[in-house]
Amino acid sequence: MLKLLYLIRYIGYVKATVENISILMIDSLDVDKRALKDRVKESLARLERENYVARQGDTYSFLTDEEQEIAQEIARTPIDNAKVIEYIKKRLFESIYTARKLNRGANDFPFDRYVDGSIHGSNMGGMELCVATMASDLGRSDDAELALKSVDKAIVALSDEVDYWAPLVNAAKIRKYAKTRNLQELQPSTRQIVESKMREAAYNEKEADTLLSEAVLHARCAVNSRMVEVRAAKPAQVFEQVLAQLCDVVFDKADYIGAPVTSDSDIRSTLAGNVQVGLAGMDAGNTRALKEVEDYLKAQHQRHLDTAMGDIQRQYQQRPFGWREVDIANVVAQLVVEQRAQVLFGGQTVQANDSRMVALLRKDADKAQVRLRMRMSDRLLRAAGELMCDLFDLKTVPSNEDKLVAELKERLEGLREACLAIARDYYTGIKPAYPYPGEDECEKMRSEVADVLKDQNEAEAFLTTFTKHEERLLDAKEDFDKVVEFVESNQRTAFDHARDFLNRTEGIEYASDDIPSAVENVAKVREILKDPKPYGRIKDLQPLMDPVEDDMKKLLGIRRNEFLCRIESDLQDLRAQAEGQKGFVNQAKDAIADAGTKYESFKNRAHSAQSLNELSVVATNWGDWLSAAANEMYDAVDEARVRMDNERRTTEVMSTGEVVKKVSNKGAASSAPVPAPKPQRKIKTVRRADLAKPSRLLSAEDVERYVDDLRSRLMQALAANDEIRIN
């Protein structure tokens, strides 16, 4: 046979297959062809083991001495079975069956993949799919032992009728041998032989892939302690069927999720209360899943253990549940909505409508705590509801615990904002003479609300604090309601009108002899505006102000006429004083040349004044102007007098008979030294009101005493000055 193979080696169109070799080995017409073929197979197998021939698929080739030597070296190359197993894992789970999770309905169940006890990829904590090769004890065990070893797992024992192992071992040896040789340094013939062996290795691996697929199709399968029969047309279907049967056993609570969701928007819908609750005693929706998680939280609560949302996610993604991460988040969201659980972040309860809730249930699950929710006592809920009705004038309040807390929080925050708005609009800035009432009541209401809202993040503590502050809240609210009524009604308008009224009537006390009742009414208006709680008395303001307005108009007319008479008299006196400045009348008149214009101006201002205060200001301005005008007149006269004293006047008769008067400076024609300037005169201005004190004169003796006192005052003022001026 070796000779035949040697001859065929050099005939390119004849392949050395078992069939062709058998035909060429026929030495008679009556030969048993089948028996001959079997003998050929046995001979070829022996020659292959002894490295006289090489095989690639169904084709054999004769080996030269050098090829036999290299084949023997390859055969002696040690190889670790782990290398072969690693190759089998990659072919099985990266080519034949690539799924990482088993999809059943809405759920995806993870599973871990093993070949002869060696895991492929990372551990996902799911089902176990174990493949046993012909090289393992498990792969060679009988059905009974195989079933016994398959507790809680699926075992696929590859068929030993298909030799996929030998090609892989040969390929592994060839590749390891090739790594020990530097092809560039080898003889060309040797290099060709090694390269041919590398092609043989690639062919072996390709052949093994086909054989592995066949081995899977004819594999013996065991699932959870029993052998199962799998009928499949493709190798991948074998794995899918055994995993499906294992899933029914391992994830026996997977169907607790009866209402699966797909996204964050579905969870937000659940948190908004858009979820159908299953009836008692029925398994509609997620009823069983809700009870499962609630029971877990109860157990954790009894053991006083904290439970992170991340722990819940990991707990229910594994056996026997296999729930999806999004469904677990949705179940917890439903428990929160049904007030059976609560989510906490940073020690504070997160409400269902909080924008952070979805993230805390999913991507930030390890940052959130989930706790069994203990229902508040009916007594506390009833007390809080009754107080809400009283405080906010409500007829009904929500019966749902969360909605009650949410509405209370919203109303208290609204009340606090109302306090801040009123304080900002009416009590900030410089405080006026008559500030609006209610600042203390507004601050008290805000402070009471703030004390209650400190516990808003813990529902039970929030309601407890709310009810404990009942009396203080009701008292503060009663006072604050009056403040709100004041600022929002015409009471504030009346108050503003009264403030303007007091500004217009300032100084009315000086007219007490003329309008005594008006002075009394003004005092009452001032008293009301100073009252810290004037709400019930504001209605009395207008009746008090109306008669005063009438009296003020009458008195204003009287005072205006008096002022007009006064300024006319003062103008005449001023002009008379100017006429009385003998020798200097012209200078005096020039100094007060605008007196007539000023008189007309003040006269017009007096007619335009709408209040006693305005008229008083006009009168004060007139007095100031009159004093200044008199001083200017006196100064002008004094200046003219000094100038005259320093002049020398002479009269000369010219040759023409004309008489000429000459004026010259007295010191200009004299060689005598210039005398030192005279010291400036000390002038004091005295107000007539300071001289003429209010008095009551009943007899001639009273007049004499008054005049003597006036004389004494004038002499005393003149003694210390060179001149006194009275205005």
Side-chain angles (χ1 to χ4, degrees), residues 86 89 93-94 99-101 109-114 118-129:
E86 194 64 31
K89 287 195 295 185
F93 300 125
E94 294 181 12
R100 292 302 311 271
K101 294 182 179 180
F109 300 101
F111 57 88
D112 297 315
R113 304 162 297 175
Y114 296 86
S118 175
I119 191 169
H120 182 63
S122 59
N123 190 323
M124 300 181 65
M127 300 181 289
E128 289 187 26
L129 173 61

Side-chain angles (χ1 to χ4, degrees), residues 360-405:
L360 292 174
L361 294 177
R362 301 193 69 183
K363 66 178 182 179
D364 295 330
D366 285 320
K367 299 179 182 179
Q369 298 288 322
V370 182
R371 184 183 299 170
L372 184 69
R373 177 157 179 178
M374 308 304 294
R375 178 173 170 79
M376 286 182 264
S377 67
D378 292 337
R379 180 179 179 182
L380 176 60
L381 294 173
R382 185 169 55 253
E386 291 174 354
L387 180 54
M388 281 181 65
C389 291
D390 293 340
L391 189 64
F392 299 107
D393 194 23
L394 303 175
K395 294 183 178 180
T396 60
V397 293
S399 57
N400 179 283
E401 186 177 300
D402 283 345
K403 291 182 179 179
L404 177 70
V405 172

Side-chain angles (χ1 to χ4, degrees), residues 109-111 125-127 246-255 316-323:
F109 300 101
F111 57 88
M127 300 181 289
L246 180 62
C247 181
D248 294 337
V249 176
V250 173
F251 293 105
D252 58 323
K253 295 184 178 180
D255 59 349
Y316 290 99
Q317 287 182 37
Q318 298 179 4
R319 63 177 66 178
F321 307 100
W323 301 344

Side-chain angles (χ1 to χ4, degrees), residues 6 63 192 216 222 236 359 395 445 459 493 534 542 545 589 595 641:
Y6 176 77
L63 298 180
Q192 289 179 2
V216 172
K395 294 183 178 180
M445 185 76 264
T493 304
Q542 199 62 41
M545 293 187 294
K589 287 183 177 181
R641 182 178 287 111

Side-chain angles (χ1 to χ4, degrees), residues 541-640:
L541 289 174
Q542 199 62 41
L544 289 171
M545 293 187 294
D546 286 343
V548 175
E549 296 281 4
D550 295 338
D551 290 343
M552 289 292 292
K553 290 178 181 178
K554 295 177 182 177
L555 183 60
L556 178 61
I558 295 172
R559 292 286 188 266
R560 182 184 291 113
N561 291 333
E562 291 177 351
F563 175 72
L564 293 174
C565 293
R566 170 191 162 190
I567 63 174
E568 183 178 0
S569 174
D570 288 343
L571 179 61
Q572 293 174 359
D573 290 344
L574 183 63
R575 287 174 173 172
Q577 290 183 43
E579 293 287 348
Q581 303 299 317
K582 295 181 179 181
F584 303 97
V585 173
N586 290 335
Q587 290 85 348
K589 287 183 177 181
D590 289 342
I592 60 170
D594 64 341
T597 303
K598 289 291 184 181
Y599 167 76
E600 292 298 330
S601 174
F602 279 98
K603 183 178 178 182
N604 292 334
R605 288 176 61 186
H607 282 296
S608 300
Q610 299 297 316
S611 67
L612 291 175
N613 283 341
E614 291 184 46
L615 187 62
S616 176
V617 171
V618 174
T620 301
N621 292 341
W622 168 262
D624 293 341
W625 175 83
L626 186 64
S627 177
N631 287 333
E632 288 180 11
M633 180 182 67
Y634 294 141
D635 291 341
V637 171
D638 289 345
E639 184 179 350

